[in-house]
Amino acid sequence: MKSLQELTRPNIWNLSPYSCARNEFKGTNAVAFLDANESPYNPPYNRYPDPLQTELKQLIAQMKGLPAENIFLGNGSDEAIDLVYRCFCEPEKDNVVAIAPTYGMYRVCADINNVEYRSVDLDHQYQLSAEKMLQACDAHTKVIWLCSPNNPTGNNLDTEQIGQLLREFSGIVVIDEAYADFSTYPSFRHAIDQYPQIIVLQTLSKAWASAALRVGMAFASTDIIAIFNKVKYPYNINLPAQKEAIDILNRRFDVDEWVRLVLLERSRLIAAFRELPFCQQVFPTDANFFLTRVTDAQAIYDYLVSRGIIVRNRRNVRLCEECLRITIGTKSENAALLSALRQFNN
């Protein structure tokens, strides 16, 4: 493993971060806040939010079994994805390696940051090969991107192959676990002490039913979290989002029930889908969606749109030819989907 200083862009390592007013004041007994040029009217929205989301992080720390110092909160996981490039990858010099197919924002952020993006195909069962991933790396490979459960395939990646990458790759390994709450696989966030180059991403957007809040979580070593905090914008998560995130985290029993219902509906919907005459294959899934190969993905997609039912057409994604990605909805939404598809004439 290279040292974190070797992996970090020199200008970022030497960066003096912006010091906002709320960072400078750490006490709790102030009687007047006259430091940040805020309006004195319309509380609580007249004040800047906590730049480090202290209360929210403490609640997440208790729930996830990690110290708050190992948590970064971003404006969605996309902010953390972008920060990986901005902190560790020198434009026009460094590169990253990712599985294919996978979540599209890894490549988009690479293009935005002018960093070479190298993709390595999964096998026919949508599993990775650590050897092929390592063969795609060179001295300028700073990051390997993994998504498990993967999007759009839905399956967990082989943990032994991930373990080999963690042992043999000298750079940062990002494991995106956005859908982990629907899976029985253990999270890699518990391996941070063993493998300090890991960054594990999770989110409130999926199982926690709070996509509108745009709250993503990154779990990593305290040194990596400190670098992220240097580079992020000072007030990246607004006050209403922090308050609503705390509220949803306190509704764990509701969330557990929602996950249970989604998993029940997933099993029912997949079983019914396999009986449709145009369904060629439904791939194994550990997420709140499934990928299916059909006879004519575009025709079925267009037909569903005409019926007001929107799914994701993945037919142009490598290794997903003639595939649709279908999110598990409510029982009535899933029934509407099946009813429409049973009337489809291919």
Side-chain angles (χ1 to χ4, degrees):
M1 169 86 185
K2 294 179 180 177
S3 71
L4 190 58
Q5 184 171 357
E6 290 177 285
L7 292 171
T8 306
R9 294 172 59 187
N11 65 306
I12 298 299
W13 186 264
N14 296 318
L15 177 70
S16 295
Y18 173 75
S19 179
C20 60
R22 293 298 116 89
N23 268 337
E24 292 177 0
F25 177 74
K26 301 297 184 183
T28 58
N29 299 317
V31 296
F33 285 102
L34 306 176
D35 56 343
N37 301 337
E38 303 153 320
S39 171
Y41 308 110
N42 190 38
Y45 302 109
N46 59 324
R47 301 300 181 190
Y48 288 109
D50 177 1
L52 294 177
Q53 309 95 28
T54 305
E55 182 180 0
L56 177 55
K57 281 183 182 175
Q58 288 173 346
L59 185 57
I60 293 172
Q62 295 172 10
M63 192 166 296
K64 299 293 185 178
L66 287 174
E69 293 76 17
N70 291 110
I71 302 171
F72 170 84
L73 299 182
N75 185 358
S77 295
D78 292 341
E79 180 180 6
I81 292 168
D82 185 57
L83 279 174
V84 170
Y85 287 99
R86 293 167 60 198
C87 293
F88 302 116
C89 298
E90 201 70 60
E92 298 186 313
K93 176 183 176 183
D94 293 328
N95 66 74
V96 302
V97 172
I99 57 175
T102 196
Y103 181 44
M105 279 304 294
Y106 310 144
R107 181 184 289 274
V108 170
C109 285
D111 292 343
I112 290 171
N113 288 280
N114 201 15
V115 172
E116 181 188 357
Y117 183 93
R118 301 177 178 182
S119 59
V120 177
D121 286 352
L122 299 174
D123 65 20
H124 66 283
Q125 294 181 321
Y126 295 137
Q127 280 297 340
L128 82 157
S129 163
E131 289 296 337
K132 289 182 179 179
M133 299 288 285
L134 291 168
Q135 288 170 11
C137 299
D138 62 21
H140 293 290
T141 304
K142 288 292 191 67
V143 180
I144 286 179
W145 291 99
L146 303 173
C147 185
S148 184
N150 191 26
N151 177 12
T153 61
N155 62 302
N156 277 302
L157 300 178
D158 188 297
T159 56
E160 291 185 6
Q161 296 295 308
I162 295 175
Q164 182 178 345
L165 290 175
L166 293 175
R167 291 188 299 271
E168 298 183 20
F169 179 58
S170 62
I172 301 290
V173 177
V174 182
I175 306 174
D176 190 342
E177 297 182 345
Y179 302 95
D181 293 299
F182 301 102
S183 170
T184 58
Y185 277 44
S187 170
F188 273 92
R189 72 177 184 274
H190 300 299
I192 289 170
D193 289 339
Q194 183 180 0
Y195 301 108
Q197 80 272 38
I198 294 180
I199 300 173
V200 176
L201 305 181
Q202 294 186 4
T203 182
L204 297 186
S205 294
K206 310 301 179 182
W208 293 88
S210 299
L213 299 185
R214 308 309 302 131
V215 176
M217 298 169 277
F219 306 101
S221 70
T222 55
D223 291 334
I224 290 177
I225 297 300
I227 291 172
F228 276 9
N229 285 334
K230 280 207 305 183
V231 178
K232 80 174 185 73
Y233 292 115
Y235 305 107
N236 59 328
I237 300 181
N238 63 60
L239 178 61
Q242 291 188 42
K243 292 170 65 71
E244 290 297 325
I246 290 170
D247 288 344
I248 194 64
L249 288 170
N250 282 317
R251 296 175 62 188
R252 183 61 196 246
F253 292 114
D254 288 337
V255 173
D256 288 344
E257 176 64 8
W258 297 339
V259 170
R260 186 186 71 83
L261 292 173
V262 165
L263 295 180
L264 283 174
E265 280 297 295
R266 186 181 74 185
S267 297
R268 185 181 74 86
L269 187 57
I270 288 175
F273 213 90
R274 288 193 173 114
E275 300 300 318
L276 297 170
F278 50 78
C279 176
Q280 296 184 327
Q281 186 175 5
V282 176
F283 294 96
T285 181
D286 299 283
N288 67 330
F289 62 86
F290 64 91
L291 188 73
T292 177
R293 178 163 284 125
V294 295
T295 53
D296 190 336
Q298 189 64 53
I300 295 170
Y301 174 81
D302 292 340
Y303 165 76
L304 288 174
V305 169
S306 74
R307 300 290 296 266
I309 299 171
I310 312 303
V311 298
R312 194 80 152 122
N313 189 352
R314 302 283 76 190
R315 67 187 298 266
N316 293 322
V317 174
R318 182 162 176 77
L319 303 182
C320 296
E321 293 82 2
E322 298 305 330
C323 284
L324 299 173
R325 193 192 71 190
I326 298 176
T327 305
I328 310 303
T330 63
K331 191 170 185 177
S332 61
E333 289 173 327
N334 300 332
L337 170 68
L338 288 173
S339 177
L341 290 174
R342 285 168 179 152
Q343 301 172 56
F344 175 74
N345 294 315
N346 195 8

